[in-house]
Amino acid sequence: MSVLVVDDQDLVRDGIAALLSLQQGVEVVGTASDGSAAVEMALRVRPDVVLMDVRMPVMDGVAATAALRRSLPETRVLMLTTFDDDEYVNRALRAGATGYLLKNLPAAELAAAIRLVNAGVAQLDASVAGRLAAGLTDPEPLTPRETDVLRQVAAGATNREIAARLYLSEGTVKNHISRILTRLGLRDRTQAALYAKDNGLL
């Protein structure tokens, strides 16, 4: 079973990779320090499982997970992080992660979790599993006007251009975009554009 380890902290990344290499049946085929590098490397080595940190520079783990699920749907993603936060859990699982664990478990347990994730069995840390039902509710649907604004964002239009095309003020456009990001659990306009593309809004 091949694994790609992704973490922006060198010591943590190398330590996890070294420990996993000692586990029977686990082969670490690469490491990456951010989400963008992880996607590039995964396309080259095609790992069975990507062990993904959440908060990283350049591209965070959630955006990288979404990109990997689009490009390599057969590759599973297991989030491994220090952040026990509902927002991160919800965003990661919506992006397509098969599990969300915290960095406080022994190497053998991590290897076992990776094997289960590779088999398609979701793995959740005990501290977040109890909150899952409330956290994974579907996002509130966008209004028709918000959908129009999202399409314009995905097309690369500026707030001023959107305002002119939809006969709105720039302030109203900003408010619409803020609500769109909040409702969909997205971080920025780039993720909004990817969401629009993934959901056939272009």
Side-chain angles (χ1 to χ4, degrees):
M1 180 181 57
S2 58
V3 179
L4 172 62
V5 179
V6 186
D7 197 293
D8 64 326
Q9 298 183 44
D10 294 347
L11 185 61
V12 173
R13 182 178 67 251
D14 294 344
I16 291 172
L19 289 171
L20 286 178
S21 297
L22 299 175
Q23 301 300 311
Q24 185 175 4
V26 178
E27 179 188 6
V28 176
V29 294
T31 62
S33 59
D34 63 69
S36 179
V39 173
E40 291 180 10
M41 180 167 289
L43 289 171
R44 292 199 306 270
V45 302
R46 296 185 174 271
D48 295 315
V49 177
V50 176
L51 197 60
M52 183 82 73
D53 193 11
V54 172
R55 291 181 63 174
M56 295 180 291
V58 184
M59 176 188 286
D60 69 15
V62 174
T65 296
L68 282 171
R69 296 301 295 156
R70 288 193 301 271
S71 302
L72 296 172
E74 70 279 6
T75 294
R76 307 284 185 177
V77 179
L78 173 58
M79 312 304 291
L80 184 68
T81 179
T82 58
F83 296 97
D84 179 11
D85 183 281
D86 286 350
E87 180 182 357
Y88 283 128
V89 174
N90 294 339
R91 288 177 57 211
L93 296 180
R94 285 188 182 126
T98 310
Y100 193 103
L101 298 176
L102 302 182
K103 294 177 180 175
N104 59 357
L105 70 169
E109 290 184 21
L110 178 58
I114 290 172
R115 292 187 186 96
L116 289 169
V117 164
N118 186 45
V121 181
Q123 297 297 293
L124 295 172
D125 190 89
S127 66
V128 301
R131 307 194 301 268
L132 190 59
L136 287 179
T137 54
D138 292 332
E140 184 179 351
L142 300 181
T143 66
R145 177 56 82 187
E146 288 168 347
T147 300
D148 290 339
V149 171
L150 178 56
R151 285 194 179 100
Q152 295 296 321
V153 169
T158 64
N159 287 356
R160 178 174 296 181
E161 290 169 339
I162 296 172
R165 293 173 186 175
L166 300 181
Y167 305 101
L168 301 169
S169 70
E170 287 191 52
T172 299
V173 171
K174 290 179 182 178
N175 290 337
H176 277 312
I177 292 174
S178 177
R179 284 196 296 271
I180 289 167
L181 296 178
T182 298
R183 287 186 181 188
L184 299 180
L186 304 174
R187 187 189 64 205
D188 52 32
R189 295 171 79 105
T190 299
Q191 289 191 351
L194 290 172
Y195 176 92
K197 180 180 179 182
D198 291 345
N199 288 272
L201 297 180
L202 295 180

